[in-house]
Amino acid sequence: MKKLKQWFFLALTTVVLTGCSLPGLGGNLSGHKTISITSGNTTEMQVVGYLVEGMINHYIDTETNVISNLGSSSMNHQAVMGGDADVSAIRYTGTSLTGELNEKPETDPDKALEQVKKGFDEKFDQKWMPSYGFANTYAFMVTREKAEELGLEKVSDLEPYIDDFKVGVDSNWINREGDGYDAFVDTYGFEIPDLYPMSIGLVYTAAANNEVDAVLGYSTDGRIISEDLVVLEDDLHLFPPYDASPVVTHKILEEYPELDKVLQKMANTITDEDMQKINYASDEYLLEPKTVADEFLKDNNYFEDAKPYVEPVDKGVLE
């Protein structure tokens, strides 16, 4: 797989290019439809939106447009369903499974992926593409120093120390159904005596400053890098999978059949650690998401050498 270079430091020298578009393979042909792409209001969603736009511009001779700052998965969904967009650059399995599809949470990543693929195809006439390779989910984490000192690698490893640990968590998580605190106790079999509710944006600094011993944050947040934290494995699978994928309408695939291969090129190309670095580059150095996306695509040669992705088929799920 690709070698991730220190592209985000090199990006500091390219801020002046923020307003520039990636070149396509030629001029736009008269009458071609603009492919509209939704992203979101987080750094991660915005960067991925421009990654998708950059790939399309590189491989397909057409105009593109990114609809940014959509505040939720449902808003992305409505934009596509209403005909205002053709591609959702990033959707998460766990979010769409319980949201747009209104189904029960599923902790098995493969089953969750098959369910959203089947559901979006049948209910919405859309194709849920393979995952980019990363998942942005809730995750417990500790400082690197504490992880090495106590040998902490997975959530279960916290149990022997939990009576002496202060744990900072997202305020919304405590009463959350399905994968909140009650589900944590049921799944892992121990309680957290000293639980400190706080804004999700504060947990990373609280851990780094040793104000708490462990925190619950998001697995691809760039502050994991800046605060030198270690993500603990959710070894008993408390949290539903939130694997990230693009979603595209069958209608636009009929008009641009090559779009399917372009998006397939991005399958399994971005790891959780890559996404942490991408988010870190944009947030830490105040780089525009488009600048970071452009640099990442150039550094990875637009995934030119990506092998064709063969999607596994679970006949039991699809029948």
Side-chain angles (χ1 to χ4, degrees):
M1 193 168 288
K2 65 184 183 348
K3 180 181 179 182
L4 183 66
K5 302 176 183 177
Q6 300 299 319
W7 53 270
F8 49 89
F9 291 112
L10 296 177
L12 288 170
T13 64
T14 63
V15 178
V16 294
L17 299 179
T18 300
C20 300
S21 299
L22 284 171
L25 298 179
N28 292 302
L29 299 181
S30 176
H32 269 204
K33 173 183 173 64
T34 297
I35 298 179
S36 292
I37 306 153
T38 68
S39 59
N41 61 352
T42 67
T43 297
E44 179 166 295
M45 289 181 169
Q46 290 178 12
V47 171
V48 174
Y50 289 118
L51 287 176
V52 170
E53 183 189 42
M55 287 289 288
I56 295 174
N57 286 341
H58 184 76
Y59 289 104
I60 302 176
D61 185 14
T62 189
E63 294 182 352
T64 54
N65 173 51
V66 175
I67 305 171
S68 194
N69 292 315
L70 296 179
S72 66
S73 179
S74 61
M75 290 180 68
N76 274 264
H77 183 62
Q78 289 303 318
V80 177
M81 291 297 293
D84 296 314
D86 310 291
V87 182
S88 284
I90 181 168
R91 305 286 275 279
Y92 302 97
T93 50
T95 302
S96 290
L97 187 61
T98 59
E100 294 90 83
L101 292 174
N102 196 29
E103 297 184 17
K104 294 181 179 179
E106 171 57 64
T107 58
D108 184 290
D110 293 332
K111 290 182 179 179
L113 179 59
E114 290 303 326
Q115 283 182 264
V116 293
K117 284 167 57 179
K118 184 173 185 287
F120 269 69
D121 179 51
E122 293 180 351
K123 293 185 178 181
F124 308 129
D125 198 25
Q126 297 172 24
K127 182 172 183 179
W128 189 287
M129 303 297 294
S131 171
Y132 293 114
F134 71 91
N136 189 359
T137 184
Y138 272 130
F140 284 96
M141 52 195 77
V142 297
T143 62
R144 187 171 304 280
E145 180 181 9
K146 194 174 295 292
E148 294 175 352
E149 176 188 352
L150 301 178
L152 303 176
E153 297 180 352
K154 54 187 185 294
V155 176
S156 293
D157 293 338
L158 292 173
E159 185 173 6
Y161 309 100
I162 201 64
D163 288 340
D164 300 317
F165 266 32
K166 297 177 181 178
V167 181
V169 300
D170 177 15
S171 302
N172 297 322
W173 176 73
I174 296 177
N175 296 316
R176 183 180 168 102
E177 294 185 9
D179 61 352
Y181 179 70
D182 289 342
F184 170 86
V185 175
D186 290 342
T187 302
Y188 280 94
F190 62 89
E191 296 185 357
I192 304 176
D194 291 328
L195 203 60
Y196 289 79
M198 60 182 70
S199 168
I200 189 70
L202 300 177
V203 301
Y204 310 96
T205 303
N209 292 340
N210 293 314
E211 296 169 358
V212 292
D213 300 286
V215 294
L216 182 68
Y218 292 134
S219 59
T220 58
D221 198 293
R223 285 165 290 191
I224 294 172
I225 295 175
S226 60
E227 304 294 2
D228 198 23
L229 305 179
V230 173
V231 174
L232 302 179
E233 177 192 352
D234 180 19
D235 53 310
L236 297 185
H237 308 293
L238 166 65
F239 300 114
Y242 288 91
D243 296 287
S245 295
V247 178
V248 58
T249 66
H250 285 298
K251 181 178 179 181
I252 196 67
L253 288 177
E254 290 175 1
E255 184 169 353
Y256 294 98
E258 63 271 42
L259 178 59
D260 187 88
K261 292 184 179 179
V262 171
L263 296 177
Q264 295 277 7
K265 278 181 171 289
M266 303 181 76
N268 296 317
T269 55
I270 306 173
T271 66
D272 287 1
E273 291 75 18
D274 290 343
M275 201 65 233
Q276 289 173 12
K277 292 176 181 178
I278 288 171
N279 289 328
Y280 174 77
S282 184
D283 293 336
E284 185 75 7
Y285 298 106
L286 304 180
L287 296 175
E288 290 292 334
K290 179 168 172 47
T291 300
V292 177
D294 288 359
E295 288 300 310
F296 188 79
L297 288 176
K298 292 173 185 175
D299 187 65
N300 289 279
N301 196 29
Y302 297 88
F303 308 115
E304 289 273 8
D305 301 324
K307 295 181 180 180
Y309 180 74
V310 178
E311 296 184 65
V313 176
D314 185 342
K315 294 183 179 179
V317 175
L318 296 180
E319 290 177 350

